[in-house]
Amino acid sequence: MERTVPSTASGEIALYLRTIYSLLRSTEKVQIRALEEVHLATNSSLHPDARKPIPDTSAFIYSLLRLPECISEVQTVILGQSLQVFARHGYPDVDKWQQVSARARRRRCYFNHRDTLACLIASRSDIDDLIPTLTAFQIEWNKLHQLLQRRPADVSWERLVNDPTLSQALANLLKISEDDLERLRAVWGTRFAVNLQRIAHRTCNISVRLLSGSLTEYRRATRAWWENVVRAHPELLERPVYFVSSNTHSMANLLSGYALVKREELIRFLYHENYADWLEEWRNIEQRQLQGEENFLYYILKKYQQTPKGRYTLKEQLEHEKERGIYRIPSENYFDIEVQVIRLSALKEKNFDPRVRIGNMDFLAQSNALILNIDYPLGLGAYNLLSLIAEYIEPILGVYIMGKAATLNGRLGDVTIPNVVQDEHSQNTYLFQNCFSASDVSPHLIFGTVLDNQKAVSVFGTFLQNARIMDVVYREGYTDIEMEAGPYLSAIYEMTRPKRHPVNEIVSLYNLPFDVGILHYSSDTPLSKGKNLGAGTLSYFGMDSTYATTIAIIKRIFSNERTRLT
């Protein structure tokens, strides 16, 4: 059979990847500046103004959100799969360094309080993601450095960054809009003045060292991560399991009801702190001008828990969840992927979000099944994890994947449901029966639109796309761009076929012995310049699509379990 597939790895992107991995083969540190020219040549859709002397604020903020806050102090980044790898290469006390994290990327990192950042990686996808992010960060830092050399000598740093009357002057100095300046101020918070001074005082020249790039080390780290999960819950090896890749908040919130129990306290918090925007939203909900009371409470709970007054609820919530059969297993010493194990028989219907009920729920008390929910991994990490888990769990009753994606034909917050996935890693085109359709999600979606029967592309990394790629992808009918579906489907192939997944083939995954469902909510619109998570965040409205897709997954599991038990 002939096929036309989007050859997304354009010449520039392929050269970029070859350059990255050829440099990282070195046993010594390599300078990020060695990658700057090839990065510029890719004309990345996330970094469209890379070559211009003026800053690309969206690309800079996108990078800032995916790097730890200490990145302004970092001069060396070290990559390895486990603490044992770091110890073997002369870094025995990495776990005693300060643990740091990024706001928009889960990656376990440690900072030595001086100039070195150690990052634990789960697969080569972490490299494909992190190195271009560091390169974009360095390019934009150095643009700002040059501009800040023109600061008027008669204006103090303190006044320049803190005096509201000089906000436009500072934006003009940096050659960015005042709106972009305020976005930078929001991202940096109290570190705004310090970070601008650091940028002014020195150029950025980060070096990187990969301690071990072997596939064996990735597998060893994945196995150690799984052994930690099984030690905590050995019943996973004995019971039927529904596998879910999503996040660690939406399913727990919907099934435990903790935020709903704390409703009055959360609303008092809103009025006490006088959050004007959120209060207006709540009043609209109260007056039934808007739906979504439950989603709003989940959002406010997270904000409340970030305050000193509400911090006590973190522990209380964990105990509340345990009493209802929901257990969290943090990742230890390896990549940062938390796990939830949910015993269906221990769930208490009275605490459910009303949107997940499917009639009489008495059957749950008879269930011996578990839900294994993992905080979705990045790229090839998905293949590594599901492949290993499938070796130990029998039977797996369903595989359900919820994740973020870029959309070429929708808007931020829309939901895309693919039944064709082109995977850049295996070069396979996967055809499969997605167990979800638009009707499963749309009743629970307030702000967005659901698009089913779509075609997705699983790409190497977010920066590794350009306008030429987007044009080819869109012309071939692929409208959904993400990073995990292809690797997951490669693992599913090996769960149901007697050999390793093929390469560069059309692969049919119909008539599988278990459910497969993939739901993507749109976090980027790359055909609209600047419409990415660097230009803004989904914030409260992003919860709409997150919870709509999670509700669909839970209801599917409940429905299948009722059928299995009757």
Side-chain angles (χ1 to χ4, degrees):
M1 175 185 285
E2 292 186 1
R3 61 176 173 143
T4 302
V5 299
S7 179
T8 61
S10 69
E12 298 93 342
I13 300 297
L15 176 61
Y16 195 2
L17 289 170
R18 286 198 301 271
T19 305
I20 288 172
Y21 285 97
S22 64
L23 291 175
L24 291 181
R25 284 198 297 267
S26 172
T27 57
E28 294 295 327
K29 295 182 291 188
V30 296
Q31 302 295 321
I32 284 290
R33 66 167 176 258
L35 291 166
E36 287 186 7
E37 185 55 42
V38 70
H39 179 100
L40 297 172
T42 64
N43 298 308
S44 170
S45 298
L46 276 184
H47 202 175
D49 296 331
R51 284 195 178 277
K52 294 181 180 179
I54 60 172
D56 188 328
T57 317
S58 287
F60 189 50
I61 292 176
Y62 188 94
S63 302
L64 287 173
L65 293 174
R66 281 150 184 79
L67 296 168
E69 287 188 355
C70 63
I71 192 63
S72 61
E73 304 170 59
V74 169
Q75 297 181 33
T76 301
V77 178
I78 310 166
L79 308 177
Q81 293 88 341
S82 66
L83 296 180
Q84 289 84 351
V85 169
F86 282 98
R88 287 202 304 270
H89 289 82
Y91 300 92
D93 301 320
V94 162
D95 59 327
K96 295 181 175 60
W97 297 1
Q98 178 190 0
Q99 187 169 340
V100 293
S101 60
R103 267 181 271 183
R105 185 69 82 221
R106 283 180 294 101
R107 185 176 289 118
R108 190 183 299 278
C109 298
Y110 298 90
F111 179 52
N112 72 347
H113 291 284
R114 295 188 304 278
D115 57 3
T116 302
L117 183 70
C119 298
L120 291 167
I121 54 177
S123 73
R124 62 170 287 172
S125 292
D126 280 299
I127 297 173
D128 296 344
D129 175 74
L130 181 57
I131 300 301
T133 301
L134 286 170
T135 308
F137 169 81
Q138 179 164 301
I139 289 170
E140 295 306 319
W141 172 295
N142 288 333
K143 287 182 189 178
L144 294 169
H145 171 77
Q146 291 298 324
L147 293 169
L148 285 170
Q149 305 314 300
R150 304 173 186 175
R151 177 177 66 88
D154 59 339
V155 179
S156 69
W157 266 111
E158 184 176 26
R159 184 168 172 237
L160 183 64
V161 298
N162 295 320
D163 189 340
T165 64
L166 293 180
S167 179
Q168 185 61 60
L170 180 57
N172 292 340
L173 175 65
L174 298 174
K175 296 190 181 299
I176 61 177
S177 69
E178 228 179 323
D179 285 344
D180 283 346
L181 180 65
E182 290 310 306
R183 289 198 293 143
L184 266 179
R185 196 185 298 274
V187 169
W188 276 332
T190 57
R191 298 165 65 99
F192 178 75
V194 169
N195 284 339
L196 275 185
Q197 283 184 286
R198 284 185 176 134
I199 291 174
H201 291 157
R202 66 173 179 85
T203 58
C204 183
N205 186 23
I206 296 173
S207 60
V208 180
R209 183 184 176 195
L210 176 63
L211 300 182
S212 174
S214 74
L215 184 60
T216 298
E217 287 294 351
Y218 291 124
R219 288 173 176 164
R220 185 176 290 127
T222 304
R223 189 171 301 277
W225 170 87
W226 175 242
E227 288 171 351
N228 177 54
V229 174
V230 171
R231 275 195 301 272
H233 286 277
E235 69 269 32
L236 284 165
L237 306 180
E238 303 166 355
R239 298 194 187 190
V241 169
Y242 294 94
F243 174 87
V244 181
S245 173
S246 59
N247 56 45
T248 58
H249 59 81
S250 57
M251 190 168 287
N253 281 335
L254 289 164
L255 294 177
S256 76
Y258 179 74
L260 308 185
V261 170
K262 306 295 283 188
R263 179 182 185 276
E264 299 307 317
E265 184 174 343
L266 295 175
I267 301 307
R268 285 198 302 271
F269 162 67
L270 277 185
Y271 280 95
H272 182 266
E273 299 296 333
N274 196 28
Y275 290 116
D277 292 343
W278 297 345
L279 278 172
E280 181 181 356
E281 185 75 15
W282 175 246
R283 292 186 184 113
N284 288 334
I285 291 172
E286 278 192 307
Q287 297 166 10
R288 294 293 179 263
Q289 295 177 17
L290 287 175
Q291 302 176 48
E293 174 178 326
E294 295 86 3
N295 289 0
F296 184 82
L297 292 174
Y298 302 146
Y299 180 77
I300 297 303
L301 174 63
K302 182 177 180 181
K303 297 298 181 183
Y304 186 43
Q305 290 176 334
Q306 293 170 352
T307 67
K309 184 177 180 180
R311 199 165 293 139
Y312 83 94
T313 63
L314 290 167
K315 183 177 180 181
E316 185 178 271
Q317 182 180 7
L318 291 179
E319 293 304 314
H320 179 92
E321 291 173 355
K322 286 179 182 178
E323 292 171 4
R324 287 148 185 83
I326 302 170
Y327 303 88
R328 297 174 184 257
I329 309 169
S331 175
E332 296 180 356
N333 302 329
Y334 297 93
F335 42 81
D336 190 13
I337 297 179
E338 186 177 315
V339 175
Q340 289 173 339
V341 175
I342 302 172
R343 295 173 180 163
L344 293 182
S345 62
L347 294 173
K348 297 181 180 179
E349 181 187 356
K350 66 179 182 180
N351 297 120
F352 288 174
D353 185 302
R355 296 170 293 178
V356 305
R357 294 192 177 103
I358 59 168
N360 189 328
M361 306 290 293
D362 291 346
F363 67 90
L364 284 178
Q366 311 304 317
S367 174
N368 65 337
L370 305 172
I371 296 175
L372 175 64
N373 178 38
I374 73 169
D375 210 353
Y376 67 91
L378 184 72
L380 272 177
Y383 169 80
N384 294 343
L385 289 173
L386 184 54
S387 295
L388 180 66
I389 289 169
E391 292 181 21
Y392 290 88
I393 292 178
E394 172 63 32
I396 288 180
L397 302 175
V399 175
Y400 308 100
I401 296 131
M402 178 187 81
K404 292 184 290 189
T407 178
L408 300 185
N409 64 345
R411 302 172 304 165
L412 294 179
D414 285 351
V415 174
T416 301
I417 306 177
N419 53 19
V420 176
V421 174
Q422 171 66 26
D423 178 33
E424 283 195 339
H425 299 281
S426 66
Q427 302 174 47
N428 290 326
T429 304
Y430 287 106
L431 315 176
F432 68 104
Q433 181 62 53
N434 197 323
C435 70
F436 296 112
S437 63
S439 62
D440 297 312
V441 180
S442 56
H444 313 295
L445 194 66
I446 301 169
F447 303 108
T449 302
V450 186
L451 307 170
D452 56 7
N453 296 315
Q454 299 297 297
K455 297 167 70 176
V457 180
S458 295
V459 299
F460 289 119
T462 52
F463 274 100
L464 303 176
Q465 303 156 55
N466 56 29
R468 184 190 310 175
I469 287 173
M470 295 298 173
D471 179 62
V472 173
V473 166
Y474 197 33
R475 281 192 288 107
E476 296 300 333
Y478 290 81
T479 58
D480 179 12
I481 301 175
E482 51 78 57
M483 294 183 66
E484 287 79 42
Y488 270 129
L489 291 170
S490 291
I492 288 170
Y493 178 94
E494 295 176 7
M495 292 164 62
T496 57
R497 304 290 189 267
K499 61 178 182 178
R500 188 179 186 276
H501 69 76
V503 174
N504 197 22
E505 291 186 10
I506 295 177
V507 180
S508 173
L509 289 177
Y510 291 100
N511 300 316
L512 297 176
F514 51 78
D515 244 4
V516 173
I518 300 177
L519 299 167
H520 294 139
Y521 58 93
S522 302
S523 59
D524 301 78
T525 55
L527 291 185
S528 301
K529 182 179 177 182
K531 296 299 183 182
N532 59 62
L533 287 178
T537 63
L538 292 177
S539 188
Y540 163 58
F541 295 100
M543 297 185 71
D544 179 41
S545 50
T546 301
Y547 278 88
T549 50
T550 308
I551 290 166
I553 291 171
I554 292 173
K555 292 179 76 171
R556 181 73 182 188
I557 291 173
F558 283 171
S559 178
N560 286 354
E561 190 62 6
R562 181 170 59 187
T563 300
R564 188 177 75 91
L565 294 173
T566 57

